[in-house]
Amino acid sequence: MPNPAREPTFLPLTMAAAVDDEGARTVRDRAELADRAAADCWLALVAGCASGRAALVERLHELSEATSGYAGVRWWLGRGSVHRTRVAAAAHRIDDAVREGDGAEFAEAFIGYDQAVASVVAHVRSRVGKSVT
């Protein structure tokens, strides 16, 4: 049975993908911060407030940067450019949803962002021969 007192989670795939990898610790730390900012922003959206956008945008930028660093700049700018584009497009979609106050779009955009970042982490782990749990 779900626990209603539990805060919403917006980046479960990313946090799960980065959990057992010491190299991905920064990605996980940034994901936790972004997840908290997303929960705050979500509550503001539901309440009809406009607060939380700036903090969320900053946390998503930090998570994207940590993901880039984990993946390696050479891969991120080369073979990983498809992943980089997906991450950036999803972050932009989240920002648009917040500006428009669209909660449904916000939730859908976060699904895409979470999948994009988690895919990068999983890809890097498979490249270096680490199993993804």
Side-chain angles (χ1 to χ4, degrees), residues 39-66:
D40 292 345
C41 194
W42 173 254
L43 290 174
L45 278 173
V46 170
C49 301
S51 65
R53 178 180 171 268
L56 178 59
V57 168
E58 180 64 25
R59 296 298 169 258
L60 291 177
H61 177 74
E62 291 170 355
L63 176 53
S64 295
E65 288 292 316

Side-chain angles (χ1 to χ4, degrees), residues 73-107:
V73 175
R74 184 175 178 187
W75 179 83
W76 188 249
L77 296 175
R79 291 185 182 186
S81 64
V82 170
H83 292 282
R84 184 183 77 244
T85 300
R86 282 183 58 213
V87 169
H92 182 72
R93 188 173 170 204
I94 291 168
D95 188 43
D96 285 347
V98 172
R99 272 189 275 136
E100 295 169 8
D102 188 337
E105 180 68 19
F106 180 86

Side-chain angles (χ1 to χ4, degrees), residues 20-34:
D20 291 330
D21 184 354
E22 187 64 31
R25 178 179 296 275
T26 302
V27 173
R28 180 166 174 87
D29 292 346
R30 297 302 184 274
E32 288 172 355
L33 293 172

Side-chain angles (χ1 to χ4, degrees), residues 3 6-16 28 31-32 34-40 42 106-107 110-111 114:
N3 181 353
R6 187 170 172 226
E7 282 192 40
T9 301
F10 292 90
L11 298 166
L13 299 174
T14 299
M15 290 194 284
R28 180 166 174 87
E32 288 172 355
D35 199 67
R36 276 184 248 144
D40 292 345
W42 173 254
F106 180 86
F110 251 100
I111 291 168
D114 186 31

